[in-house]
Amino acid sequence: MTKEWTEDGQATEGKAAEPISIIRPTTRRESSESLAVHSHQEDPAVLVIDIGGSAVKLFSNVSSEVRRFDSAPSLTPGHLVATVREHTRDWQYQLVSIGYPGKVGANNPIEEPGNLGSGWPGYDFAAAFGCPVRIVNDASLQAIGGYAGGTMLFLGLGTGLGSALVVEHTVVELDLGGLPYGADEILSDRLGRKGLERDGREAWLATLTLVVERLRHAFLADYVLLGGGHADEVDPLPEMARRGDNDDAFIGGVLLWRDGFEDHAGWRQRGSNVWRLLREERKENT
């Protein structure tokens, strides 16, 4: 028996179906051969949407193909949904996971993104896609996919600076990009795209190495995972840091719908910034 999903994302027993495997899409750091990982026969078909400042990437655990289209400062949620549906007309999916470049509440954006259009808070993505949708901050999505146990600090090096902390399978959203750096800058300015272009790679890397060391000690992290579009610029890697894979967001999006994840809405109502709890199942997959 497999699971079917109600509009509010609850699983019910359904009829038997063909097994579905999770396939890792190819990345710049891997060969062109797709690798099967975390395969669970009971996994439903999940569409994962990773929204970035320059591009929107689309993954599915029923396809080894990665699809993408350009993002823009004018991108609205309605435009996003319409474009995603156009690019995935031949994909069948039961559930949707979205990595959003901004603050997210119980299961919806609560602030407009800094580099996209308006209208995101309050938008009904489940109604637009016609299926259950789970939305998390994009840094949290990558952190979930790249987590390898213990205490991990994630830093996303992209347009700005994304961040998340995973402590013994508990995901906590952070906003380290807003921390002051120097007299008149914040970390997002210095370590984001503008800082890299303005200061040059050598100076940018020196700053990053210093920041990674200090944040790792401050959070008592066992290691730091570096993701985002500029992670490939980091060479050599800082001590106790490793480079994430392009498919971390994809894996995280599929894991959001595993039984090992607890819905975070109840925690949010009590004022907690804990996103979701990763149970011991995730440890077995590392």
Side-chain angles (χ1 to χ4, degrees), residues 238-285:
E239 184 180 2
M240 302 304 293
R242 66 183 180 86
R243 189 178 292 108
D245 288 328
N246 287 347
D247 57 354
D248 284 345
F250 162 73
I251 294 173
V254 175
L255 290 175
L256 281 181
W257 292 99
R258 287 277 175 83
D259 285 341
F261 269 85
E262 295 181 359
D263 193 283
H264 65 274
W267 291 96
R268 279 287 182 171
Q269 292 171 2
R270 295 196 292 271
S272 172
N273 67 338
V274 174
W275 267 110
R276 302 177 190 272
L277 303 181
L278 293 75
R279 296 176 183 161
E280 291 305 304
E281 177 202 36
R282 184 64 182 99
K283 182 183 293 184
E284 298 172 0
N285 290 328

Side-chain angles (χ1 to χ4, degrees), residues 153-260:
L153 176 65
F154 172 81
L155 298 177
L157 307 171
T159 304
L161 178 68
S163 53
L165 184 69
V166 187
V167 183
E168 296 300 336
H169 306 276
T170 302
V171 186
V172 182
E173 174 188 343
L174 300 176
D175 187 14
L176 299 179
L179 290 176
Y181 190 90
D184 56 358
E185 282 189 299
I186 58 176
L187 280 180
S188 185
D189 295 332
R190 183 61 71 95
L191 296 180
R193 180 176 60 195
K194 291 182 179 180
L196 175 60
E197 294 174 349
R198 179 195 63 203
D199 300 334
R201 180 181 173 277
E202 184 175 350
W204 177 84
L205 182 57
T207 301
L208 174 68
T209 301
L210 177 63
V211 169
V212 166
E213 179 183 8
R214 290 181 176 177
L215 290 178
R216 180 171 62 84
H217 284 289
F219 285 100
L220 301 178
D222 298 315
Y223 58 101
V224 178
L225 180 68
L226 301 176
H230 295 140
D232 283 344
E233 299 287 345
V234 185
D235 187 16
L237 287 166
E239 184 180 2
M240 302 304 293
R242 66 183 180 86
R243 189 178 292 108
D245 288 328
N246 287 347
D247 57 354
D248 284 345
F250 162 73
I251 294 173
V254 175
L255 290 175
L256 281 181
W257 292 99
R258 287 277 175 83
D259 285 341

Side-chain angles (χ1 to χ4, degrees), residues 65 79 115 145 231:
E65 184 181 2
H79 182 203
N115 55 351

Side-chain angles (χ1 to χ4, degrees), residues 124-155:
D124 193 341
F125 286 94
F129 281 108
C131 65
V133 177
R134 285 182 175 171
I135 306 175
V136 298
N137 175 265
D138 56 347
S140 296
L141 193 68
Q142 294 179 63
I144 292 167
Y147 180 58
T151 299
M152 182 193 81
L153 176 65
F154 172 81
L155 298 177

Side-chain angles (χ1 to χ4, degrees), residues 76-77 112 117-123:
T76 64
E112 300 285 4
S118 60
W120 298 85
Y123 187 85

